[in-house]
Amino acid sequence: MGPSEALFIAQIVVLLLVGRLLGEAMQRLGQPAVMGQLLAGVLLGPSVFGVVWPEAQQALFPPAREQRAMLEAVSNLGILMLLLLTGMETDLKLVSNARRAAICVSAAGIALPFALGVTLGQFLPQSMLRARDEVRTPQGRNDAASFRHH
């Protein structure tokens, strides 16, 4: 069965409605609306909605590749708009005044998770790792995890 435009519209309406409701609720609690919108995404996903009512979650968000591609395209556009809006609202004077702190936080936010991931990867038991020949990306290339030497 091919992609359904009606189902796509239903997905968008549900996502917007729940995101708006939870965004408004978060604002009333003194939190940014984006917190409620992110929470809506988690609640409507397989982690919560899929556990509580799996049939409805599968009906609203079927695993069909074409259907998922339509929703992913719109979600990627939404992410792009969020980043654009965030960039437009950034106070460059504030950033330049806190330049040193911003650079330190940015570097630590990249270096620390990277170092922890590499360190953890070295201590994982072999049973948690795939064989070198099994680790492939969809394009057929070796994944970075396959370069670990034993």
Side-chain angles (χ1 to χ4, degrees), residues 82-102:
L82 175 65
L83 292 174
L84 179 66
L85 182 62
T86 302
M88 290 173 44
E89 291 181 354
T90 300
D91 185 359
L92 294 178
K93 290 179 183 173
L94 178 64
V95 172
S96 67
N97 290 341
R99 184 179 310 149
R100 181 179 167 99

Side-chain angles (χ1 to χ4, degrees), residues 1-14 59-62 67 70-71:
M1 184 159 87
S4 166
E5 290 83 8
L7 180 58
F8 174 65
I9 297 297
Q11 291 172 333
I12 298 295
V13 167
V14 168
L60 185 59
F61 301 106
Q67 194 69 40
M70 290 192 304
L71 193 57

Side-chain angles (χ1 to χ4, degrees), residues 21-31:
L21 289 173
L22 290 178
E24 292 288 330
M26 284 294 160
Q27 281 186 321
R28 291 177 190 220
L29 295 173
Q31 299 296 317

